[in-house]
Amino acid sequence: MQDIKHLLSRISFGPQPGEVERIQQVGGDKHLDEQLHPDRIDDHSADERLAAFPSIRMSTSEIINKYPKPQQFARRMKVNTADPDSRRRIREMLRDKGMQPPEQVLQDLQSQRLVRAVYSRRQLQEVMTDFWLNHFNIYWNKNADRWLTTSYEMHAIRPHVLGKFKDLLMATAKSPAMLFYLDNHLSSATKGINENYGRELMELHTLGVDGGYTQRDVQEVARAFTGWSINRPEMSGEFMFRPRIHDNREKVVLGHRIDAGGGVRDGEEVIDILSKHPSTAHFISTKLVRRFVADDPPPGLVQHVSGVFQKTDGDIREMMHAIITSNEFNSPAVAGAKTKTPFEYAASAIRSLNGETDGGRQVTQAIGRMGQPLYQCQPPSGYPDRGEHWMSSGAVLERLNFAVALSANKIPGTSVQFDDPVKTVVARLGSPEFQKR
């Protein structure tokens, strides 16, 4: 493994000044091994910066109490919100009681993502968090998910990004944020099943659209997950199983019989079936190879990584090692061939200029204007991972605007340092080469 710049462009949010030379001395293989085991990396400097975002360490119930829905608060305080003066009074009352509107929760989430991307020494862990949050996408703006998304990222996604795929899948399946986003909390054996989660679980999370399932499988999976619900979503927001609305009859999923009377185990058995299915191995391998190697994943590498998935019981760390040490990953033909997303572009620009950022509203809004408002992708499929999606004429203009503002230190809360003329820096950040990784 010789091309350290290429390695860093794929397993990090871009090199900082001098980082390529430092890792050349350490060795690319040793650096990769370190990144594959993030718990061994001291990251206290990044952790200290996260103290600025208190909501990311709160439980869901604490977030609900600290960042209430203004309308609910107004009803509690018996204030009519029909006119602007009343709404202003509500904002003042929230502030006086040490409360904030739920939009601050979103800002904390966006800010901590960017701060971690810029400062964390556990760069691969952050890249994988970005990948899995997009794979298991939810939409922050959907009602209760405003209060449930923080726990989803911190407790369902982050602990498993380099672990076993089954554990990650199970954590998302039992996450109240996912159960709410895909309407599974509405699915009932008595009032009617909702197929949204069952369909997306197979089409987007595991097997893929051509993964060999039928409409009958969708219905059977939906029956298996009846009763997987949320305990008081506007008070505690914890996962709970409701036996009273569960369909306890026998099910058959992808040819596997699930005996009657299994209760909550029915859904868990579905997760086990899907996580071991060859189509899941192929689908997840394809997406990982597309993310880390090329928009058109080399079939031979996909087959190899799929084999690793099946041999290691879906060990994501082993799959990543197989990808990054492959001939395909290290081929000069794929170096600089992937287009950075707006989030990757902003983080890499700040890192490349030895910048400082508080991840504040202005810089995260700039990422949104470039086409990637964080946590606000509405479709369950997440953002596409192909270059053509990100480089419309409007998006390119916004990237240039960002490059100019960043280089001129005109983004509040974010500053950069460099010795070259400003025009030279703007030209570099705006170049086609810098849009790639």
Side-chain angles (χ1 to χ4, degrees):
M1 187 183 300
Q2 298 298 322
D3 191 342
I4 301 299
K5 185 178 179 182
H6 171 59
L7 175 68
L8 292 179
S9 77
R10 298 297 171 93
I11 71 167
S12 79
F13 285 93
Q16 295 174 306
E19 190 173 11
V20 171
E21 293 75 15
R22 285 198 301 274
I23 294 175
Q24 280 174 334
Q25 292 182 345
V26 173
D29 291 338
K30 185 174 181 180
H31 179 72
L32 173 60
D33 184 64
E34 185 180 59
Q35 289 296 314
L36 286 169
H37 298 87
D39 290 348
R40 301 174 185 173
I41 302 173
D42 178 8
D43 209 23
H44 74 276
S45 177
D47 290 342
E48 287 174 357
R49 294 176 183 271
L50 299 179
F53 318 115
S55 67
I56 67 172
R57 293 182 302 280
M58 292 182 182
S59 67
T60 298
S61 61
E62 288 174 323
I63 291 175
I64 290 170
N65 289 326
K66 176 79 175 178
Y67 306 89
K69 188 186 294 184
Q71 293 85 347
Q72 286 183 338
F73 182 77
R75 282 197 296 272
R76 198 186 313 162
M77 303 304 293
K78 299 181 179 178
V79 175
N80 186 347
T81 59
D83 61 86
D85 284 344
S86 296
R87 289 195 289 272
R88 179 176 51 76
R89 278 187 59 207
I90 288 296
R91 288 195 294 271
E92 291 172 353
M93 293 168 73
L94 283 171
R95 187 177 62 244
D96 291 345
K97 291 180 175 295
M99 299 174 176
Q100 297 185 67
E103 287 72 18
Q104 184 59 45
V105 178
L106 173 62
Q107 186 58 55
D108 280 1
L109 283 170
Q110 294 175 333
S111 298
Q112 60 91 27
R113 278 277 293 287
L114 183 61
V115 165
R116 290 184 203 253
V118 170
Y119 294 106
S120 177
R121 296 180 62 228
R122 301 170 178 173
Q123 282 283 294
L124 179 57
Q125 178 175 270
E126 292 308 310
V127 170
M128 297 302 294
T129 299
D130 187 49
F131 174 83
W132 289 120
L133 277 171
N134 194 56
H135 179 79
F136 293 105
N137 185 53
I138 62 172
Y139 181 50
W140 185 88
N141 293 68
K142 184 173 179 179
N143 300 329
D145 272 338
R146 296 181 177 195
W147 296 272
L148 299 172
T149 300
T150 301
S151 177
Y152 178 67
E153 174 173 340
M154 304 306 156
H155 303 301
I157 299 292
R158 285 190 171 274
H160 304 292
V161 297
L162 283 166
K164 296 285 189 180
F165 179 76
K166 178 184 173 181
D167 295 337
L168 176 60
L169 185 65
M170 187 72 80
T172 60
K174 288 188 174 179
S175 164
M178 182 63 77
L179 293 172
F180 186 85
Y181 173 58
L182 291 177
D183 304 318
N184 199 77
H185 69 297
L186 302 174
S187 192
S188 166
T190 57
K191 297 182 179 178
I193 62 171
N194 187 301
E195 298 176 2
N196 277 359
Y197 179 65
R199 178 174 290 102
E200 307 303 7
L201 174 64
M202 290 192 283
E203 179 178 332
L204 298 176
H205 297 173
T206 57
L207 307 175
V209 68
D210 298 318
Y213 64 91
T214 66
Q215 174 58 25
R216 176 64 185 273
D217 289 315
V218 171
Q219 294 168 339
E220 293 290 274
V221 167
R223 289 177 54 222
F225 282 102
T226 48
W228 286 45
S229 188
I230 308 168
N231 182 30
R232 299 183 299 173
E234 295 190 353
M235 294 184 71
S236 68
E238 301 295 331
F239 170 80
M240 74 171 298
F241 177 67
R242 301 181 189 276
R244 189 174 54 80
I245 61 171
H246 178 64
D247 185 335
N248 236 349
R249 296 171 296 170
E250 177 186 277
K251 295 122 189 138
V252 178
V253 175
L254 297 165
H256 296 262
R257 188 174 303 282
I258 298 175
D259 293 335
V264 70
R265 292 194 305 276
D266 289 357
E268 293 170 346
E269 195 164 341
V270 169
I271 295 295
D272 188 61
I273 292 168
L274 293 174
S275 64
K276 292 177 179 175
H277 199 281
S279 292
T280 298
H282 184 269
F283 182 62
I284 298 301
S285 299
T286 300
K287 289 195 69 171
L288 283 170
V289 174
R290 177 177 294 123
R291 169 64 179 78
F292 287 92
V293 180
D295 282 5
D296 295 318
L301 181 57
V302 171
Q303 185 176 356
H304 173 62
V305 176
S306 180
V308 173
F309 184 111
Q310 294 180 76
K311 288 176 186 173
T312 63
D313 196 21
D315 191 308
I316 300 167
R317 182 178 287 105
E318 292 294 333
M319 296 167 70
M320 289 305 302
H321 184 270
I323 291 171
I324 297 167
T325 58
S326 69
N327 290 334
E328 291 87 343
F329 177 91
N330 291 290
S331 167
V334 303
K338 289 287 295 184
T339 299
K340 294 175 183 174
T341 65
F343 178 52
E344 292 167 341
Y345 175 67
S348 66
I350 297 169
R351 284 173 60 83
S352 76
L353 296 174
N354 203 21
E356 290 280 333
T357 185
D358 61 3
R361 191 178 308 276
Q362 286 79 4
V363 69
T364 55
Q365 286 180 342
I367 295 171
R369 286 194 298 273
M370 288 187 275
Q372 192 184 14
L374 300 175
Y375 305 96
Q376 293 176 292
C377 179
Q378 193 163 359
S381 54
Y383 290 112
D385 188 13
R386 289 184 176 276
E388 66 264 22
H389 175 77
W390 299 112
M391 299 306 284
S392 67
S393 56
V396 171
L397 179 61
E398 288 295 344
R399 289 189 183 217
L400 291 175
N401 290 338
F402 178 80
V404 171
L406 181 68
S407 304
N409 279 318
K410 289 188 175 178
I411 301 177
T414 299
S415 62
V416 293
Q417 306 174 44
F418 50 85
D419 297 324
D420 295 328
V422 171
K423 284 185 178 179
T424 303
V425 174
V426 172
R428 182 171 70 81
L429 297 184
S431 67
E433 292 75 20
F434 196 81
Q435 312 301 320
K436 303 280 189 174
R437 58 175 170 83

